Amino acid sequence: MKNGKIFLISFILVILSLLLYLFKSFLLVIIIASLMAVATSNINAKFLHLTKGHKFFASILTTSCMVILFFAPFFYTMIELAKTLKNFDISLISNTLDYIKNYQFTLPEGFNFLEPKVKEFLASIDLNNISKQALNYASSFTKSGAKFLIDMALICVFYFFANLYGTELVIYLKSIVPVDRNELDDVLSEVGNVMAVVLYSMVIIAIFQGTLFGIITMFYGYDGILMGAIFAVSSLIPAVGGALVYIPVSLYEFASNGLNSALVILIYSIVVISFIADTLIKPLIIKWINKKLVKTPTKINELLIFLAMIAGISSFGFWGIILGPAILTFFISTIRMYVILKDKKLI
């Protein structure tokens, strides 16, 4: 009997290893899709109710809803950026930098000592090198953007199957974990609630910041919808975020329409969007989502979720915004699981 049990466990581990090897190129995509399915399980449950328990149609509706609300803006932004880069005149960069380099400026009286240093720095700018770097970045963006779109398409596919078969998998996991059903439901509910808070807050904050930037650029003759969508997407990029958009726009505005409009866009972006919206309002939005949009508010502090999102972005890049809080939640849930098992003297 003991030998049979060892053989069965060994066989399962071998099959699991082969399965992981088979899907090794898609593991990250599968994990992201699964976490998103967990986060939107309440939406899938509502569609299940509307379709009278028809899982296939409910999964299609849930996936369609997610594509429209979450993925469609990414596709739109990537496609529009690709079109812009394809027809982009590189001389615009050279002309803008040349204008800045030769601009005659005077600093306020208290900062006169800095003027020679600033002029020396501007004179040292190598326009040819910057233009080449811009072309390299554009080429790199095109390649990474294409890979990103492929990953998102795969996430949509795995997200559909996660919604379709997720319930059966959860039921199976509950049957093999040696923990009381109600206690295990509490742990899994906590994971789902945190994922919901992360996903909803990520979408709402990106839309909020994109709208703020779209409004200010619209006043200066830009396509507000496109600029807002670009800013919303860039706000999710690790480290640099919206600066990838508002700094080039401010420089271009400076070279095209003068210093005043450039300063308005730059200061507005830094103060209103980067500081007030991103630093001050974002934790409040996370807190509001936790109380209003999630069925059962998570017990994990909103600031801790926010820090996990930042840490996830730093460690894993773009998708770390989902992976960071997920790892934190699973860690806390594992500790709770250990306490439960210890209290029941099962370990």
Side-chain angles (χ1 to χ4, degrees), residues 11-296:
F11 182 75
I12 292 174
L13 290 175
V14 170
I15 296 300
L16 180 61
S17 299
L18 291 174
L19 187 65
L20 291 174
Y21 180 79
L22 177 65
F23 288 98
K24 65 178 181 180
S25 300
F26 305 102
L27 283 180
L28 180 61
V29 170
I30 293 173
I31 291 171
I32 297 298
S34 301
L35 292 174
M36 292 182 69
V38 170
T40 57
S41 58
N42 55 341
I43 298 177
N44 189 53
K46 290 181 180 180
F47 281 126
L48 272 172
H49 177 72
L50 290 174
T51 57
K52 297 181 180 180
H54 202 297
K55 293 182 181 180
F56 184 80
F57 287 136
S59 299
I60 289 178
L61 290 173
T62 306
T63 304
S64 300
C65 183
M66 184 55 57
V67 168
I68 293 171
L69 295 178
F70 186 75
F71 292 111
F74 282 93
F75 281 106
Y76 168 76
T77 304
M78 292 294 179
I79 291 171
E80 290 298 319
L81 278 176
K83 290 179 181 177
T84 302
L85 290 174
K86 184 178 180 181
N87 302 316
F88 185 72
D89 185 3
I90 194 65
S91 64
L92 284 175
I93 297 177
S94 301
N95 293 338
T96 300
L97 293 174
D98 189 53
Y99 178 85
I100 296 172
K101 185 176 181 179
N102 297 315
Y103 182 75
Q104 297 299 320
F105 66 93
T106 55
L107 295 176
E109 187 175 342
F111 297 92
N112 287 339
F113 67 97
L114 292 175
E115 195 167 310
K117 294 291 185 182
V118 175
K119 290 183 176 180
E120 182 181 347
F121 169 75
L122 293 176
S124 65
I125 294 176
D126 188 348
L127 298 180
N128 292 328
N129 184 51
I130 292 177
S131 298
K132 290 179 181 178
Q133 288 293 331
L135 286 174
N136 290 334
Y137 287 139
S139 176
S140 175
F141 171 81
T142 303
K143 293 178 182 178
S144 59
K147 183 182 182 303
F148 187 73
L149 290 177
I150 293 173
D151 286 344
M152 294 189 76
L154 290 172
I155 287 174
C156 291
V157 173
F158 287 114
Y159 175 80
F160 167 78
F161 285 108
N163 281 293
L164 186 61
Y165 298 112
T167 304
E168 286 81 358
L169 181 60
V170 171
I171 292 173
Y172 175 73
L173 289 176
K174 288 180 179 179
S175 67
I176 63 175
V177 175
V179 179
D180 183 78
R181 181 66 62 88
N182 293 329
E183 293 170 341
L184 184 59
D185 284 340
D186 290 339
V187 173
L188 294 176
S189 176
E190 183 71 9
V191 175
N193 291 334
V194 171
M195 289 298 95
V197 169
V198 170
L199 184 63
Y200 296 151
S201 63
M202 180 176 67
V203 174
I204 291 175
I205 291 167
I207 292 174
F208 178 55
Q209 293 183 351
T211 301
L212 290 176
F213 190 74
I215 291 172
I216 190 64
T217 53
M218 195 183 300
F219 280 110
Y220 292 96
Y222 295 91
D223 185 340
I225 296 177
L226 177 60
M227 297 304 295
I230 294 174
F231 193 94
V233 173
S234 67
S235 67
L236 301 174
I237 298 175
V240 287
L244 278 175
V245 181
Y246 69 73
I247 290 179
V249 170
S250 299
L251 292 175
Y252 176 76
E253 192 66 23
F254 172 58
S256 302
N257 299 315
L259 182 62
N260 291 336
S261 58
L263 284 177
V264 170
I265 294 176
L266 183 64
I267 294 173
Y268 174 90
S269 300
I270 293 174
V271 176
V272 176
I273 302 179
S274 296
F275 178 68
I276 296 177
D278 192 51
T279 306
L280 300 181
I281 297 181
K282 181 186 285 187
L284 297 178
I285 291 176
I286 294 175
K287 186 174 183 178
W288 178 81
I289 291 171
N290 188 28
K291 289 184 177 180
K292 300 295 183 181
L293 297 187
V294 179
K295 187 176 181 181
T296 305

